[in-house]
Structures are given as structure tokens and as C-alpha cells.
């Protein structure tokens, strides 16, 4: 499973990329707003650090999405155009697929939406599991259903588990066979840690001091 960072903070991308485990980045308008930095400069800096960087269009009509998405994709080869799951978004995705521009269909909350996005030619779909959990539903059950459908289909669209909230989401997504997981920095930072690793390392270091001493 590929691991993406869900952020608009370049320092966070640089840090996780330095671990040698980063496959991509997802941004969205809210994350960009939180950082308060120039969007193009942010995305371009990320493209130097990761092979896939999703940049979201903000137009709501297909024509506007196509104009924005074509501009974004002209900035750098690593950019994936992120398009919302609407009928206008589907029209734009079909256009981008014909032009071999990679897309990530965002705000997917159901299996029918996932199927439509794949049929329109999306490179990636992003079901938001945390927001479903927040609404009292079982977000991971949606991923399981989508992966079951994919196992009977010839879709080449990758399923990206979005809106993850804790490390268990990453484990469950991997066990189900999702292709990608995007993870906020605070959750990503928890993944390398285990208290027994810290205790074990301290003991090795203490014992080695005795040998060396
Ligand atoms: C995915 O691409 C989105 O940016 C993201 O995962 C949304 O997560 P949230 O529900 O924590 O805002």
C-alpha cells in the first residue's frame, strides 16, 4: 500500500520524505487555507519531494475545472488534478483521462460514486472514512465494499483511503487491500513509534555503556 501525507505544509512533506517512505501528498483547499502560503509555490515545492501531489480544483462547473486542472498539470509532471465527486466533476475527469492527465476524485462517500468515478476514468478515488465515522457510520466498511467491487471489475482506478484519523485506520486499509492511504502528519508521526522499541533501545544503550566503560 502506498502512503501519502495529507497536508499543505512543505516542512512536513520534507520530514516524512526523508524517512524514505513517502509515495505522495494530498492537499485540499482547507489545508492550503490553514497554512496561508502561496498555492502554486507550495505544490511545486512538494513536487520536488514526492512523485504524486494532488492539487484540487475549486471551480464547480466542468469547463472551469478543466481550465484550472490543465493549468495545474502544466506546472509539474507530478501533479494529480483533484476533482470533486459531482456530475460536473465526472465530465472533467473524462476530459482529463482522454488527455492522459491524472486525476484524484475527492469527497467519495458511497459505492455508486466510486463506480461512476472509475468509469469516467479517474486515476484515483478518495473515499473519506473519518468523516463517515464522525457521522456515525463505519467508514472502513465502505472501503471493504469498494475493494470487493474492484475485485470483480477491471477498473484500474486506485482506491485511496482518505480522512484517516489514527494508526488503526492505516492497518485496516492495508489488510483490506486498499491501494493508497493518505495520512495527516500527526498520525504519520505515530507510525514509527512503539513504547517497547524505546524501552529496548534504552536498555541496549545502557548495557553498551557498561561494556564500553
Ligand atoms: C483527502 O484528500 C483529504 O484531503 C483529507 O483526507 C480530508 O480529511 P479530513 O476529513 O480530516 O478533512
Amino acid at each position: 500500500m502506498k502512503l501519502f501525507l495529507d497536508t499543505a505544509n512543505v516542512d512536513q512533506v520534507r520530514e516524512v520524505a526523508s524517512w524514505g517512505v513517502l509515495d505522495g501528498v494530498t492537499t485540499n483547499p482547507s489545508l492550503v487555507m490553514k497554512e496561508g502560503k502561496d498555492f502554486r509555490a507550495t505544490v511545486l515545492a512538494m513536487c520536488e519531494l514526492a512523485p504524486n501531489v494532488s492539487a484540487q480544483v475549486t471551480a464547480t462547473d466542468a469547463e472551469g475545472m478543466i481550465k484550472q486542472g490543465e493549468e495545474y498539470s502544466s506546472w509539474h509532471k507530478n501533479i494529480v488534478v483533484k476533482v470533486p465527486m459531482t456530475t460536473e466533476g465526472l465530465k472533467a475527469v473524462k476530459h482529463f483521462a482522454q488527455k492522459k492527465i491524472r486525476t484524484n476524485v475527492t469527497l467519495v462517500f458511497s459505492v455508486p460514486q466510486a463506480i461512476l468515478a472509475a468509469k469516467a476514468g479517474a486515476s484515483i478515488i478518495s473515499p473519506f472514512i473519518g468523516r463517515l465515522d464522525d457521522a456515525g457510520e463505519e467508514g472502513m466498511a465502505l472501503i471493504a465494499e469498494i475493494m470487493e467491487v474492484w475485485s470483480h471489475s477491471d477498473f484500474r482506478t486506485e482506491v485511496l483511503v482518505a480522512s484517516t484519523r489514527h494508526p488503526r485506520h492505516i492497518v485496516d486499509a492495508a489488510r483490506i487491500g486498499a491501494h493508497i492511504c493518505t495520512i495527516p502528519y500527526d498520525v504519520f508521526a505515530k507510525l514509527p513509534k512503539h513504547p517497547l522499541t524505546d524501552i529496548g533501545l534504552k536498555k541496549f544503550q545502557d548495557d553498551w555503556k557498561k561494556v564500553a566503560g
Side-chain angles (χ1 to χ4, degrees), residues 6 26 28 31 82 128 131 162-163 165 182:
D6 198 23
T26 49
N28 67 42
L31 292 169
K82 205 175 187 189
F128 278 36
R131 293 192 194 185
S163 185
R165 302 269 194 261
T182 194

Side-chain angles (χ1 to χ4, degrees), residues 21 29 33 38-39 43 86 88-89 92 118 126 128 136 143 165 176 181 200:
V21 299
M33 185 265 302
D38 179 71
F39 177 57
V43 166
T86 60
E88 289 300 297
S126 291
F128 278 36
I143 304 300
R165 302 269 194 261
I176 289 170
C181 212

